[in-house]
């Protein structure tokens, strides 16, 4: 990238930041910068201060000490985990609020246009002045792409999962999760310089997450996000800020590479800690041995002073993801735990799904996937016998169901402590490991003594999950089990389900969690349930080729194709080719791929350069002395056109490269 792009000041500069809530600070003496095109993952254990740091960066909270410097012309968009939402408009009207400046400009232009059509004093100074103001305002309006903002609203809302028939529905008809999507759409539509996103995928389905990944990768300027969705942050971010032991450590790599570097760093910390402990022990031994010898008094005092000056080395919190948790033994179920034959469900005139027919075999692990509202949780409730349905649904012999629902946390006994809740269901050797289990799910130390009634919703969900893991069942039904789990807890849960010898139905949008866990995917959509053999990435790939998924959400195929397995047809075709022919084809493929990768990189560099120039010109045009500079306006129009053409060129190259990767 040309060096001229590096002359711009950081969008956010943090120096000596310190935050205290009590005796021990969350973090102290933190310094870092956020630059244009940075994609930053903010990581750390729950309670480390990730959400607090985002609030400080957007100005909603003040630090104890330190400076957060943000240029006056830098705009910030912040999506918190919890928002106060209002229900007085339609979805479209709410999204249009993102363009309030453009709409105000449009109203001013309309007023001036009406005045021009009504006046007849064509030669007067006032009329000519009005013409000039109208011309300037209209040119600015056109340069901002204002005529296309309705189309941009539609693309964004559809990308986040809304149907076009939803656009004119009142927002109060939607659940909290869908209203959060509206707020996310408004933030994205404003195109701020820095996006601060706190768990943006919590209420999104897989297709919407993929769309958001592509938007953030291609359209956003700078991003800082908190997420426990490993696939999402790997696909979006290129830098990782870790909050650990009161420090903020900057890793210039994406999350998977950070995990490896962090493990190496912890090994170094451990060795340094052990060396320090040995050195301190030697000093204490010397002091104790020669404390009362006058000839050694000077050396003893020196050792005491040295010991007092030593700053203890802190070791990053222990990663408990290696812990193994097994489900207790249970009765063997029949060969077919669930049989659906023509199952359907209607709510009045609304058909959720119909003619659902499939059979689950004992030991199968399957995923229910699809857009929110397509009936995944509804079918789960049919299987549980909680709601009526049409058709035949049979639960097999000796089936014992363990069900984790979104409201599962409400069924816990509020007066028990966390430890007592688990101790009541734990049996055998597991009772000796309760503290380890609680620690793996973020209930370590004093948290184990908390009463259930004081726990947050997320904490209650985690506790309900632990309780389920210790119950003897042979059919697990888990509805969005990972929403309130951090990555280490998800790893523990995933390994437990993988080792589970019963049957499991998992409703989830977490691709990393489902990858390698399920062998079959049931896709919900359009009132139908389609069965797909293979894992989650096999389904994503096949859905794209079938045309069921918008091509704009194919980011997984570019970023995660190496994790996908070849289909049976591909393997068969490959086996039929001679080794010499296959080798020649691979070499030619590699040459074409290399050329395309270079072309894509060149296009990306050119796009970055054009975007940078447009950013400069935006600033210049906002100054009064340049507002009527036609030469600058013409250049702006030309560069905007070049940028659109280069984006189209990049898309063509990317699609061709994607075809080779497939």
């Amino acid at each position: 990238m040309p060096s001229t792009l590096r002359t711009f000041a950081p969008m956010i500069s943090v120096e000596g930041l310190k935050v205290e809530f009590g005796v021990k600070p969350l973090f102290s003496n933190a310094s870092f910068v956020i630059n244009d095109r940075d994609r930053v993952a903010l990581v750390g254990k729950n309670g480390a201060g990730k959400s607090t740091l985002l609030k400080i960066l957007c100005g909603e909270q003040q630090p104890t000490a330190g400076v957060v410097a943000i240029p006056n012309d830098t705009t910030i968009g912040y999506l918190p985990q919890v928002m106060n939402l209002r229900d007085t408009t339609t979805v479209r009207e709410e999204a249009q609020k993102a363009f309030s400046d453009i709409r105000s400009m449009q109203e001013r232009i309309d007023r001036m246009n009406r005045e021009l059509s009504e006046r007849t004093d064509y030669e007067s100074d006032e009329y000519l002045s009005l013409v000039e103001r109208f011309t300037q305002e209209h040119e600015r309006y056109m340069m901002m792409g204002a005529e296309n903002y309705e189309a941009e609203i539609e693309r964004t809302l559809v990308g986040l999962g809304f149907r076009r028939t939803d656009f004119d529905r009142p927002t109060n008809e939607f659940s909290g999760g869908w209203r959060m999507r509206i707020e996310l759409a408004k933030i994205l539509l404003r195109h701020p310089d820095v996006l601060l996103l706190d768990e943006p995928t919590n209420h999104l389905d897989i297709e919407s997450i993929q769309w958001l990944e592509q938007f953030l990768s291609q359209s956003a300027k700078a991003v800082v996000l908190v997420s426990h969705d490993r696939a999402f942050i790997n696909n979006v971010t290129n830098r990782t800020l870790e909050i650990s032991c009161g420090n903020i450590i900057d890793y210039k790599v994406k999350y998977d590479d950070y995990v490896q570097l962090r493990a190496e760093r912890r090994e170094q910390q451990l060795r340094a800690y052990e060396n320090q402990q040995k050195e301190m022990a030697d000093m204490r031994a010397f002091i104790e041995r020669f404390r009362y010898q006058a000839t050694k008094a000077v050396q003893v005092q020196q050792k005491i002073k040295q010991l007092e000056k030593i700053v203890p080395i802190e070791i990053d919190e222990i990663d408990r993801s290696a812990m193994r948790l097994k489900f207790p033994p249970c009765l063997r179920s029949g060969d077919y735990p669930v049989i659906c034959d023509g199952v359907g469900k209607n709510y009045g005139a609304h058909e959720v799904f119909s003619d659902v027919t499939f059979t689950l075999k004992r030991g199968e692990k399957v995923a229910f996937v699809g857009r929110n509202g397509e009936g995944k949780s509804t079918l789960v409730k049919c299987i549980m016998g909680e709601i009526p349905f049409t058709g035949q649904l049979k639960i097999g012999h000796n089936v014992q169901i363990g069900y984790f629902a979104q409201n599962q946390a409400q069924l816990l006994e509020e007066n028990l402590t966390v430890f007592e809740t688990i101790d009541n269901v734990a049996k055998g050797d597991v009772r000796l490991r309760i503290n380890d289990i609680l620690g793996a799910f973020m209930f370590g130390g004093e948290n184990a003594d908390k009463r259930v009634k004081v726990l947050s919703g997320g904490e209650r969900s985690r506790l309900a999950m632990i309780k389920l893991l210790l119950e003897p069942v042979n059919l697990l039904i888990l509805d969005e089990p990972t929403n309130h789990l951090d990555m280490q807890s998800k790893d523990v849960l995933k390994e437990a389900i993988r080792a589970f010898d019963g049957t499991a139905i998992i409703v989830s949008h977490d691709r990393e969690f489902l990858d390698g866990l399920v062998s079959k995917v049931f896709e919900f959509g359009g009132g139908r349930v389609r069965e797909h053999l293979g894992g989650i990435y096999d389904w994503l790939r096949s859905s794209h080729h079938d045309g069921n998924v918008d091509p704009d959400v194919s980011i997984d195929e570019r970023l995660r194709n190496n994790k996908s397995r070849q289909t049976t047809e591909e393997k068969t075709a490959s086996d039929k080719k001679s080794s010499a022919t296959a080798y020649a084809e691979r070499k030619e493929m590699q040459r074409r791929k290399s050329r395309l990768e270079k072309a894509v990189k060149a296009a990306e560099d050119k796009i970055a350069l054009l975007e940078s120039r447009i950013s400069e010109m935006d600033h210049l045009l906002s100054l009064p002395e340049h507002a009527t500079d036609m030469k600058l306006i013409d250049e702006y129009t030309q560069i905007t056109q070049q940028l659109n053409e280069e984006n189209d060129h990049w898309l063509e190259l990317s699609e061709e490269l994607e075809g080779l990767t497939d």
Side-chain angles (χ1 to χ4, degrees), residues 311-329:
V311 178
I313 294 173
E314 290 188 273
I315 303 175
D316 293 346
E317 57 268 13
I318 296 173
D319 185 353
R320 298 180 180 269
S321 61
M323 177 185 168
R324 296 293 178 262
L325 183 61
K326 292 186 66 175
F327 284 87

Side-chain angles (χ1 to χ4, degrees), residues 324-380:
R324 296 293 178 262
L325 183 61
K326 292 186 66 175
F327 284 87
C330 60
L331 286 175
R332 178 186 175 93
S333 73
D335 290 339
Y336 304 106
V338 179
I339 300 174
C340 289
D341 186 8
V343 174
K345 178 61 184 175
N346 291 49
Y347 288 108
H350 174 60
E351 180 184 81
V352 183
F353 49 71
S354 64
D355 196 28
V356 177
T357 301
F358 64 82
T359 299
L360 291 188
K361 298 178 182 178
R362 184 182 65 248
E364 281 190 320
K365 312 292 191 303
V366 305
F368 283 4
V369 302
R371 290 178 178 268
N372 290 358
E374 293 288 356
K376 303 185 297 294
S377 296
T378 300
L379 184 55
V380 165

Side-chain angles (χ1 to χ4, degrees), residues 384-440:
M384 292 295 300
E386 293 183 356
I387 58 175
F389 53 86
T390 59
Q392 300 294 319
L393 199 162
K394 182 180 178 182
I395 302 299
H397 178 64
N398 272 345
V399 170
Q400 298 172 321
I401 299 178
Y403 179 35
F404 179 83
Q406 294 297 303
N407 64 345
Q408 198 73 21
Q410 299 171 9
L411 306 179
L412 297 171
E413 173 55 54
E414 292 197 338
N415 291 321
L416 295 178
T417 66
V418 169
F419 184 91
E420 290 168 345
T421 300
I422 302 308
D423 189 46
N424 286 348
V425 296
K427 293 179 176 60
D429 294 341
V430 173
R431 299 192 67 183
L432 303 176
R433 302 167 55 224
I434 290 178
N435 284 326
D436 290 337
I437 295 169
L438 292 176

Side-chain angles (χ1 to χ4, degrees), residues 77-88:
Y78 171 52
L79 180 76
Q81 285 194 50
V82 180
M83 303 182 72
N84 294 321
L85 305 172
R86 297 181 179 179
D87 301 315
T88 58

Side-chain angles (χ1 to χ4, degrees), residues 211-277:
W211 180 89
L212 180 60
E213 286 174 354
Q214 190 175 43
F215 181 94
L216 296 178
S217 299
Q218 296 179 5
S219 302
K221 296 180 181 179
V223 181
V224 182
L225 64 89
V226 175
S227 177
H228 291 148
D229 186 327
R230 188 172 308 183
F232 177 72
I233 63 174
N234 268 319
N235 290 345
V236 172
T237 64
N238 54 19
R239 179 179 166 196
T240 307
L241 282 179
E242 180 196 33
I243 303 178
S244 177
C245 297
N247 299 309
I248 296 181
I249 306 101
D250 194 350
Y251 295 83
K252 308 291 186 182
V253 294
K254 65 180 183 179
Y255 182 81
D256 275 353
D257 296 330
Y258 144 76
V259 171
Q260 182 176 349
L261 290 176
R262 183 182 184 276
E264 295 171 358
R265 180 174 180 270
R266 190 173 184 279
E267 284 296 321
Q268 295 171 352
Q269 285 180 333
L270 192 58
R271 286 194 294 270
Y273 174 81
E274 291 171 348
N275 291 336
Q276 186 185 65
Q277 291 299 308

